[in-house]
Amino acid sequence: LAGVKIVSKLVKSWIPIVFFAVLPGLMVLASYLMPAWGLVDLRNRLIEWAVIVAAFTFMLGIFNILQVHGRRLSRRRSGWFYSLVLVVAMALAMLPPIFSIPLLNVPESTWMWADRLIFDDIITPVGATLAALVAFVLLAAAFRLLRTRHSAEALLFLVVVIVTLLGTTPLVGGEWLADVRYWLITVPGMAGMRGLLLGVGLGIMITALRVFIGDEHPYTDL
Amino acid sequence: MAAAPSQPAEPEPDRSPIKGLSLPTIPPEHWQEPSHIQPGEPEEAPIGETTEPQAGDDWLTQLRSGGVEGPADIPAQSPEIEFPLEPSDEVPPTESAESEMEDWLAGLRGAAKEMPVAETEVVAEPLEPEPHPMDTREDWLDQLRGGIADEIAAEAPSYPPETTAAEEMTEPVEVEIPDWLQELEPIIPSPGVSPEAETVPPVAEEEAPALEAAEMPDWLAEIAAPPMEAEVEAPMPSVPPVAEEEAPALEAAEMPDWLAEIAAPPMEAEAEAPLVGEAELPTGGLEELPDWLKEPGIKVPTQAAPAVPPLVEFPVGVEATAPPDWLAELEKEAEISAPPAVPAFEGVISPSETQELMPAEIPAWMEALRPHPEAAEPMDLEPAEAGGVLEGIRGALPPLGIGIEVPTDQPPVEPTEEAVEALLSRAQLLQSLISQPEGTPVPVSGKREGWEWGGRIQHWLIMLTLLLAVVSTLILPQFMGFQFPPVAQPVDSPAVRQMYEVIEGFTEGTSVVVAFEYGPAEADELNLVTMPVLRHLFSQPISVTIVTTRPEGRRIAESILEEVGVADGEWVKADYHILGYRPGNAVGASQLLGQVSRDSGSPQAVVVLTSRVVLLQQWIEQTRAQFQGQVPVLAGLSAALEPVAAPYWATGSGPLRGFASGLGGAAAYEAASGTVGKATERFNTLAIFHLFAVGTIVLGAVVYALAGLGRKKS
């Protein structure tokens, strides 16, 4: 019974971890450290496989979205109308690429027109509008900053914001604000950002080591 | 347990009496004219009347009420009525004797009133089994009886039928069995025994039933055998004789329903008991157990018998009243298991002596059970167990103090004037507190309402400011034909300048990878950055490979290339091809870089156009890892990414050789390349918008700073 458990553990846990995570990761890492031809070819092959798998996961995501919103539509749950809009929009956005398939013999002007209509006249303006709301939100937040916080930090924050805005587009005679802005970005801003990037880099390295030694396997349910 | 079939009684005169039946054994021919009643004698008074106590103590009543319901209704007849030594000597109790009776005994007898008593013509109608007088026992006896009955029932599979002495003296006559008897004893298929033989024998006054061992009440027989002996020779010393000459018949006629359901066999036992000297004791042993002892659900605790000591010990050697073997065995077991806690009474007492001595002959054990009036109340408060092995026992487990309403007999206490005044003063104080006006704090609802209005005004003010900025700088110049004077000039940025220099340094045939990593939402900003960079790139004799790791990247690239005019521009010197999209983010970027390097050799630069930090980082990392830092990375970014890209650019020796961020960077790139594009055109508009934004922020800061100062002063 103990032997069966060991074999089961090997089959269910350690074989997937070792053969599908640890060994490929170590080989790719070794190819970067020792770029021999064999290792580089193996790395490229593994990366191509990973891209194929990623493509299938992308398709899996599409099916998942269709399933979730389709269920909400069929059961008429709250927000079913938005699910309907999403499904219909997804189907319409898929039409131009489908029409571009040569076997369908759809004129190129037709599917190109449909593609521009969907992308240039609908998706892009809507996306730009949503992005523009960020300016409105940030300005409203800056306007009410001193209402909620009466501190030197809040005041300093407002000063930095004003200097950065005016330094990005310095008025005539106020070019010195551009120098101040440059200093703010390259000295205090860069120092803080480097600290963040170094912390993120260390976290990534530790996570990679844990994955390599099999201590962490987010790709499984174990 | 199913009742075992009873053995049919033999029709011979010497057959043993049938057990399990409690009807008087009156032949049918004597039903109309009972010979046992002497002419001229007054009709027997109902037992209830003769045994009715003048006064009674209520302690037994309390005990009875606390037990099961059935025994509480049992007529409180003393057992002595059924065990007189000499029937002819039995004298009905006189009023004087009853007056001398203890109150509690009077109460015990008083319970007999509750039971309807049969009239003298008991033979004229179907007689019902009368509850055994000893069934007036206390609850503790009930419990003991039930426990021991179980044990006996488990040991004795059957109980042979018996016949009374009167039955033996008469010929069996076929008489219709009453319905109630059929229900009670459906398993007695004694063809030779008529139903009359199972009835209560008519007992005259001189024939007062001197009950034999077979007449011993079942509950007593279940407890221990010694009481059986007491039945024969002496009545219970502490209980006066109650029955008159017709007591058995009346008892049989007045059996309550509860007893008929629960313990009909005991009635049979007493009814079937032959008269003294007329019948022989059955010697059936354990097989003579009544059927009710065989009923399922009756369990006999092995240690229950010692709790009840034998009340009276009878002299040995009376053959006519000798207990059956099974009772003798039970007696032995009871004696072995535990000695009686109370010394048994030994001796023979005549009925007259019994009546005289009754008030003084209360056994010690019964006297000990007699509760004091102050102790009776808490006993009633203790609930009886509803189930389990302790079923029916009171006070076995401590009751929970929660959720139990404890009744009290104390009269309600009348509130004093002081208490009433104290209550009134408290109520007045509470009323005054409630009626007080609220303090200075502003109601929360009003505060929220004011804040909502203020917030709405702020939102409308900010929106109007932005709208004015957009209309005045973008819309009005186009429709009204005027231009704002230039209020700002692009700033020369080292990062932008280095980027321009790198692209400017590409030689002929250089392979450049351009990654479009932004979507439609960021296109409005990044397109302004991308266009001057692409114009510069395609003006070089290089090979451009367009890639992306975002699904919409290819569509964005095609759109911007078309807008720049790469397809048909005469200034275009570079050739390009769109490698397309690769999923997997970093893996996709690595795969794209590897494919480009395999197709057209190692690229000389990678240009990343994105507005996301992760995408910028992935391209920087993969490019540096793929080409060991030999390939420079250039970036066209949104303005928000400038602080993130700066560390990678830093001194100019990092992986990021240069970048242009936002509209200012695009305008600077155009200025560096000597062209005037959309970035330069919108730069002035951006500067004016920045002025509006700064003015709004300052206004808000001043207003809230003054408000805060005013709040502090107040």
Side-chain angles (χ1 to χ4, degrees):
Chain A
L1 188 60
V4 173
K5 287 185 177 179
I6 291 174
V7 171
S8 175
K9 184 75 174 178
L10 284 174
V11 171
K12 293 181 179 178
S13 175
W14 287 106
I15 288 179
I17 290 173
V18 171
F19 285 92
F20 296 103
V22 176
L23 284 181
L26 290 177
M27 282 190 290
V28 172
L29 182 63
S31 68
Y32 284 116
L33 297 175
M34 300 176 290
W37 281 111
L39 288 177
V40 171
D41 290 343
L42 182 60
R43 178 189 67 191
N44 293 332
R45 184 59 56 89
L46 290 174
I47 288 175
E48 288 177 357
W49 289 356
V51 169
I52 294 171
V53 172
F56 277 98
T57 60
F58 188 77
M59 296 174 62
L60 191 63
I62 293 175
F63 292 142
N64 185 34
I65 289 175
L66 286 175
Q67 182 185 12
V68 170
H69 291 274
R71 188 183 299 122
R72 182 179 294 178
L73 272 174
S74 61
R75 298 180 183 178
R76 293 296 181 92
R77 292 178 180 173
S78 62
W80 64 270
F81 180 75
Y82 301 105
S83 298
L84 177 63
V85 171
L86 186 141
V87 173
V88 171
M90 183 183 294
L92 291 177
M94 292 171 66
L95 288 179
I98 292 175
F99 289 161
S100 65
I101 296 175
L103 295 176
L104 298 178
N105 293 324
V106 178
E108 184 178 355
S109 59
T110 301
W111 64 263
M112 284 294 291
W113 173 82
D115 182 72
R116 288 177 183 175
L117 177 67
I118 293 173
F119 194 86
D120 296 338
D121 298 338
I122 296 177
I123 296 177
T124 300
V126 171
T129 303
L130 291 175
L133 290 177
V134 176
F136 177 80
V137 173
L138 292 177
L139 186 58
F143 182 85
R144 291 181 298 186
L145 181 62
L146 289 183
R147 175 183 171 275
T148 56
R149 292 172 181 267
H150 293 279
S151 60
E153 291 84 359
L155 188 61
L156 179 63
F157 184 83
L158 285 180
V159 171
V160 170
V161 168
I162 292 171
V163 170
T164 303
L165 287 175
L166 295 179
T168 303
T169 54
L171 301 177
V172 177
E175 287 81 4
W176 59 273
L177 287 174
D179 297 337
V180 174
R181 173 185 175 273
Y182 181 79
W183 181 84
L184 290 173
I185 291 176
T186 56
V187 177
M190 187 183 295
M193 188 55 66
R194 277 184 171 175
L196 289 176
L197 293 175
L198 287 174
V200 171
L202 290 174
I204 291 173
M205 188 172 65
I206 292 173
T207 303
L209 288 176
R210 289 169 60 86
V211 171
F212 286 156
I213 64 177
D215 191 41
E216 186 171 335
H217 28 80
Y219 39 84
T220 65
D221 294 333
L222 301 177
Chain B
M1 181 195 313
S6 304
Q7 296 177 1
E10 295 297 332
E12 290 80 16
D14 57 345
R15 65 181 179 275
S16 60
I18 299 175
K19 276 199 171 185
L21 298 177
S22 59
L23 291 176
T25 55
I26 302 173
E29 58 270 17
H30 299 288
W31 279 13
Q32 301 300 328
E33 297 178 4
S35 60
H36 62 283
I37 302 176
Q38 297 296 330
E41 284 185 15
E43 289 184 347
E44 301 91 341
I47 291 178
E49 295 180 3
T50 58
T51 60
E52 180 179 359
Q54 297 300 323
D57 198 345
D58 57 349
W59 68 275
L60 280 176
T61 305
Q62 293 173 357
L63 286 177
R64 184 167 54 246
S65 62
V68 291
E69 296 179 4
D73 298 333
I74 298 174
Q77 294 177 339
S78 63
E80 282 73 14
I81 186 175
E82 302 177 29
F83 315 120
L85 185 61
E86 296 293 334
S88 59
D89 296 335
E90 189 170 348
V91 178
T94 60
E95 291 185 357
S96 60
E98 292 179 358
S99 61
E100 297 174 4
M101 210 180 292
E102 286 285 334
D103 294 340
W104 65 276
L105 281 175
L108 184 68
R109 298 178 61 182
K113 281 182 174 181
E114 302 173 6
M115 182 177 178
V117 182
E119 300 298 333
T120 53
E121 49 272 10
V122 291
V123 296
E125 57 188 40
L127 296 177
E128 293 181 3
E130 180 187 10
H132 196 285
M134 292 302 290
D135 285 341
T136 59
R137 64 201 176 278
E138 304 298 332
D139 296 339
W140 63 273
L141 290 178
D142 278 330
Q143 297 168 5
L144 290 174
R145 171 191 174 183
I148 298 176
D150 293 344
E151 186 176 12
I152 296 173
E155 295 175 1
S158 63
Y159 197 91
E162 297 178 2
T163 56
T164 62
E167 179 190 8
E168 295 169 358
M169 298 176 67
T170 58
E171 288 296 329
V173 180
E174 290 296 331
V175 176
E176 183 180 359
I177 299 175
D179 295 338
W180 66 270
L181 185 58
Q182 291 178 352
E183 295 175 357
L184 287 176
E185 289 295 329
I187 58 173
I188 300 177
S190 55
V193 178
S194 63
E196 298 82 69
E198 301 172 353
T199 58
V200 178
V203 182
E205 184 174 359
E206 58 276 12
E207 301 176 336
L211 298 180
E212 307 174 11
E215 281 188 292
M216 182 187 69
D218 293 346
W219 66 270
L220 193 55
E222 295 155 6
I223 295 171
M228 278 298 291
E229 302 171 2
E231 294 174 4
V232 178
E233 295 189 358
M236 293 292 289
S238 59
V239 183
V242 177
E244 297 295 336
E245 51 277 6
E246 295 182 4
L250 296 176
E251 292 169 2
E254 296 302 327
M255 177 179 180
D257 296 336
W258 66 270
L259 192 56
E261 296 175 357
I262 296 174
M267 299 303 299
E268 303 164 2
E270 69 180 55
E272 297 157 0
L275 297 175
V276 175
E278 295 180 355
E280 297 179 1
L281 281 176
T283 57
L286 292 175
E287 295 178 355
E288 297 179 0
L289 286 174
D291 292 338
W292 68 270
L293 287 179
K294 307 167 190 175
E295 292 178 357
I298 299 177
K299 298 179 180 178
V300 180
T302 55
Q303 300 299 329
V308 179
L311 301 179
V312 177
E313 289 188 358
F314 298 91
V316 183
V318 181
E319 295 181 0
T321 58
D325 297 339
W326 61 274
L327 285 177
E329 293 177 0
L330 287 177
E331 177 184 9
K332 292 177 181 177
E333 292 178 359
E335 291 175 352
I336 292 172
S337 59
V342 179
F345 174 79
E346 295 182 357
V348 179
I349 301 173
S350 64
S352 59
E353 292 175 348
T354 300
Q355 291 187 6
E356 293 176 358
L357 295 176
M358 262 190 303
E361 288 297 329
I362 299 174
W365 62 270
M366 190 174 292
E367 190 66 37
L369 290 175
R370 179 178 180 177
H372 298 285
E374 61 274 10
E377 293 182 359
M379 177 182 287
D380 291 339
L381 299 180
E382 295 174 351
E385 296 300 321
V389 296
L390 300 178
E391 182 176 1
I393 298 178
R394 285 181 170 273
L397 297 176
L400 294 176
I402 301 173
I404 296 178
E405 183 180 357
V406 180
T408 176
D409 296 336
Q410 295 180 355
V413 179
E414 294 294 334
T416 61
E417 293 183 358
E418 296 177 354
V420 172
E421 291 177 356
L423 291 174
L424 289 176
S425 62
R426 292 175 186 174
Q428 290 173 357
L429 177 61
L430 179 61
Q431 182 65 28
S432 63
L433 291 175
I434 294 174
S435 60
Q436 281 183 354
E438 294 186 358
T440 54
V442 180
V444 178
S445 59
K447 190 175 181 179
R448 286 182 177 175
E449 188 177 356
W451 166 243
E452 289 179 356
W453 277 106
R456 291 179 182 177
I457 291 173
Q458 291 175 12
H459 289 171
W460 279 104
L461 179 63
I462 295 170
M463 191 184 69
L464 289 175
T465 302
L466 294 177
L467 183 63
L468 180 61
V470 171
V471 170
S472 61
T473 57
L474 292 178
I475 299 176
L476 288 179
Q478 291 186 4
F479 287 95
M480 301 182 69
F482 75 94
Q483 290 286 339
F484 273 99
V487 296
Q489 293 293 328
V491 179
D492 185 19
S493 168
V496 175
R497 191 170 56 252
Q498 288 184 8
M499 182 179 179
Y500 175 82
E501 291 175 354
V502 170
I503 295 175
E504 189 67 23
F506 289 156
T507 58
E508 188 174 358
T510 300
S511 174
V512 177
V513 175
V514 178
F516 282 83
E517 299 290 355
Y518 63 94
E522 306 102 321
D524 196 35
E525 181 187 12
L526 279 177
N527 280 345
L528 297 178
V529 179
T530 301
M531 283 191 287
V533 174
L534 288 180
R535 285 196 185 97
H536 193 197
L537 281 174
F538 280 90
S539 63
Q540 302 292 330
I542 59 175
S543 173
V544 177
T545 302
I546 297 174
V547 297
T548 180
T549 59
R550 293 186 61 171
E552 64 270 39
R554 175 167 182 159
R555 185 62 183 82
I556 288 288
E558 292 174 352
S559 176
I560 195 67
L561 289 176
E562 184 180 356
E563 187 174 353
V564 170
V566 174
D568 51 358
E570 296 178 356
W571 53 271
V572 175
K573 298 179 182 178
D575 57 342
Y576 72 98
H577 68 281
I578 299 176
L579 196 56
Y581 160 74
R582 293 291 184 277
N585 295 330
V587 176
S590 178
Q591 197 272 338
L592 286 171
L593 290 175
Q595 186 172 352
V596 169
S597 62
R598 287 194 299 271
D599 294 344
S600 56
S602 179
Q604 274 69 43
V606 174
V607 179
V608 182
L609 306 171
T610 185
S611 62
R612 295 186 181 182
V613 178
V614 175
L615 296 177
L616 174 65
Q617 289 175 338
Q618 83 178 19
W619 279 105
I620 292 174
E621 293 166 358
Q622 295 303 318
T623 302
R624 189 173 182 84
Q626 189 90 6
F627 307 107
Q628 291 83 37
Q630 301 300 323
V631 176
V633 177
L634 306 173
L637 309 172
S638 64
L641 257 64
E642 186 174 357
V644 180
Y648 290 99
W649 168 74
T651 58
S653 60
L656 189 61
R657 297 292 174 84
F659 66 91
S661 61
L663 190 58
Y669 198 94
E670 288 179 354
S673 61
T675 59
V676 177
K678 287 186 177 181
T680 304
E681 294 174 355
R682 292 187 180 182
F683 188 79
N684 200 31
T685 304
L686 181 64
I688 295 172
F689 181 83
H690 280 176
L691 284 176
F692 275 94
V694 169
T696 304
I697 292 173
V698 170
L699 178 63
V702 170
V703 168
Y704 286 114
L706 293 177
L709 290 176
R711 224 176 284 146
K712 287 183 178 178
K713 288 180 180 179
S714 63

